[in-house]
Each structure stands twice: as C-alpha cells, then as structure tokens.
Amino acid sequence: MTNWQTPETFDFQGHTIRWGSLGEGAPVVLMHGTPFWSYEWARLAPLLATERQVYFFDMLGYGNSDRPVDDVSLGVQNRLFAALADHWNLAKPDIVAHDFGGATALRTHLIDHVDYNSLTLIDPVAVRPWGSPLVQHVKHHEAAFAGMPDYMHEAILPAYLQSAMKRKASRETLTPYEEQWIGVEKQAAFYRQIAQMDQHYTDEIQDLYSEIRCPVQILWGEDDEWIPIERGRELHAMIPGAAFIPVPGAGHLMQEDAPEAIAFHVQAFLKTAGRKGM
C-alpha cells in the first residue's frame, strides 16, 4: 500500500533497526509514535528535505525494525535513539517527535544528555496519567489478546486506529498502519508493546521538564481522544518559554488529520530556532 522505505540498517544490541534519510543540510530527526511507524512522516519528510537532511527510523519493535520478544518499552527506546544519534554523528539536531517518540526524545535529552537545537512535540506521551482505554485493558489481559483468533484482532485494529483520528479514515489511510500488526508474530508483538507501557518511564523525567535545554513547541490535536489536550496544557506549563499550539480538527494522529498544520508550524519553528553555533 506504500512505497515508504527504510533502507538503511543499524545494529542495536544484536537487533536490526531500519532507518532512512532524505535531502541535504542541517539535520532534522522525525520520531514516530505507537502503534505507528516511520511511515507516519511520509508527507512531512519530503517537504522538509527540500532544505534539510531528514532522518527517520522505526523504533525497536515497530515497523521494519526487529520485534524481539524482550524489552521494547520506553526504557530501551531512549538508549536506542542516543546510539543512533551517535551513529549518525549528529550535533544538536532539530527533533520532531510524536506520541511515544515524544517521550523517547525527552528521555534521550534529559537522561542520556543528547542536546537538540529545537524540539517539536506532537501530542506526546509526557504527563501522567496517560494510556488509551484499550491500552489500560490490554495491560491486564495481554495473553488473552495476543492469542485471540486473527479475525478478531483484525477487527479491533481498524477501530483502534480510527480512534486516533478525528477524520473518517479510508481503507487506503488505515492499511499501511494495520498491516504492520497482522500475522501471528506481529499480533503478539502488538499486544506485547502495549503490555510494556509503563507510566514509570515518564514519571522519571516529568519533574525535569523545566531543565530542557532548547526551544520547544508543542502541537496538540484539540480532538485527541487518546491523550486529552488538558495534558498538553499541563506540559506547556512545565516547560519555561515553550510555545503551545492547539490544532483544530485533529485527533491524536495529527499526521493524518492535519498534515498541513504540522508542516506549517514545523517549518516556521525551524526558521525561528535557527542553527546556533553553525
């Protein structure tokens, strides 16, 4: 359903991470959320690549990267991104991060001390409490969901993905996200990553948001059913000097509901942030 490519590979603790890049210039890294993959940036990446070098990757357990039966939680994703940033030899990249990608970007900055030139957060997992109703239920019944008949899983997936969007999604929109989780092993991986979602990983950093060392803007869908906009306003209050931009007509997966808004605000913010020290 898509020709989106992550052709490059990186070995992380014996697991293959798939990534790609487009364009030339100062680096921008795009970080996806869950249960999505780097394809969510298929519209934005080529646009930004007209002026910048754009990096994107599939997190461990997602997309075209390996899906091990062990840890794929937020506790490992920041270590992965810190290693990738070092592999790419990036010096203070601009970061655009969504959902779990937002939590990963924050953890990498505040725990692994990777510096950014700027940070755009899009409906990030960042402030307690978080987790959609399905997440809360699956965490208590992982084995039952992982082992359910495939036709039941395939019925749940589109309904769950649609709940991340305000607009009614077409089959063409849903399929690239659905097909990443269909099949015996992928179905088990889908519920495994949900079961490993733990608020502890954001609790570790929530009191450190005032220490963020770069300009920050926060975009939030006004109709986000997964993480309500009130969490976004709380996050905004925790980061001195951050910009907060509610986006009307958008749910949690703003990349599908309002891609033009992301493009406009990211491009404007990158110009405002500049490239200090270059």
Side-chain angles (χ1 to χ4, degrees), residues 35 51 59 70 80 101 147 170-171 191 221 236 248 264:
E51 297 180 346
M59 291 187 185
D70 49 1
L80 162 60
S170 67
R171 291 302 311 160
Y191 295 109
H236 176 227
F264 175 81

Side-chain angles (χ1 to χ4, degrees), residues 29 78 100 252:
V29 181
N78 58 289
F100 259 37
H252 187 71

Side-chain angles (χ1 to χ4, degrees), residues 27 41 44 52 62 70 83 86-87 97 106 111 132 145 155-156 160 164 168 200 202 208 230 249 257 260 266-267:
W41 302 113
L44 186 63
R52 308 291 293 269
Y62 298 84
D70 49 1
D86 182 66
H87 174 69
L106 288 165
I111 294 176
S132 68
F145 279 90
I156 288 172
Y160 181 53
K168 178 64 176 175
H200 161 76
T202 52
L208 302 177
E230 288 74 23
D257 279 333
E260 303 86 353
V266 167
Q267 288 183 307

Side-chain angles (χ1 to χ4, degrees), residues 13-83:
Q13 299 179 353
H15 301 301
T16 298
I17 303 300
R18 300 297 297 266
W19 64 276
S21 68
L22 297 170
E24 297 180 352
V28 180
V29 181
L30 307 179
M31 302 174 67
H32 71 82
T34 178
F36 314 111
W37 60 302
S38 59
Y39 168 78
E40 70 176 44
W41 302 113
R43 292 185 183 91
L44 186 63
L47 182 62
L48 294 178
T50 60
E51 297 180 346
R52 308 291 293 269
Q53 183 165 13
V54 180
Y55 292 86
F56 46 88
F57 67 101
D58 291 329
M59 291 187 185
L60 182 65
Y62 298 84
N64 295 320
S65 292
D66 282 355
R67 304 186 188 206
V69 296
D70 49 1
D71 189 7
V72 296
S73 72
L74 284 171
V76 73
Q77 302 296 349
N78 58 289
R79 300 198 303 274
L80 162 60
F81 181 50

Side-chain angles (χ1 to χ4, degrees), residues 95-176:
I95 305 293
V96 182
H98 171 236
D99 183 76
F100 259 37
T104 298
L106 288 165
R107 286 176 57 85
T108 307
H109 183 64
L110 295 167
I111 294 176
D112 301 287
H113 308 293
V114 175
D115 284 323
Y116 308 145
N117 185 65
S118 73
L119 175 60
T120 296
L121 297 168
I122 302 174
D123 298 73
V125 173
V127 177
R128 70 179 80 90
W130 52 264
S132 68
L134 178 66
V135 165
Q136 298 304 324
H137 192 64
V138 169
K139 286 178 69 173
H140 298 291
H141 306 284
E142 177 195 357
F145 279 90
M148 74 170 63
D150 56 4
Y151 66 86
M152 293 177 65
H153 171 67
E154 290 172 23
I156 288 172
L157 268 178
Y160 181 53
L161 291 165
Q162 176 62 74
S163 71
M165 307 176 212
K166 174 66 173 177
R167 296 181 182 178
K168 178 64 176 175
S170 67
R171 291 302 311 160
E172 183 179 8
T173 297
L174 291 173
T175 297

Side-chain angles (χ1 to χ4, degrees), residues 176-248:
Y177 300 108
E178 283 182 40
E179 65 187 4
Q180 293 296 309
W181 300 109
I182 292 176
V184 175
E185 293 183 1
K186 291 180 178 181
Q187 177 175 328
F190 177 77
Y191 295 109
R192 183 184 311 122
Q193 55 91 20
I194 292 177
Q196 292 182 12
M197 294 180 187
D198 192 331
Q199 191 172 285
H200 161 76
Y201 297 118
T202 52
D203 286 347
E204 275 190 303
I205 58 171
Q206 184 166 322
D207 293 336
L208 302 177
Y209 293 156
S210 63
E211 301 176 17
I212 293 174
R213 305 178 300 277
C214 66
V216 177
Q217 75 166 345
I218 304 164
L219 309 182
W220 214 286
E222 289 186 348
D223 297 296
D224 189 337
E225 294 184 9
W226 287 13
I227 313 178
I229 196 169
E230 288 74 23
R231 297 289 88 75
R233 299 189 192 283
E234 291 175 29
L235 176 62
H236 176 227
M238 296 176 184
I239 306 175
F244 183 74
I245 303 168
V247 178

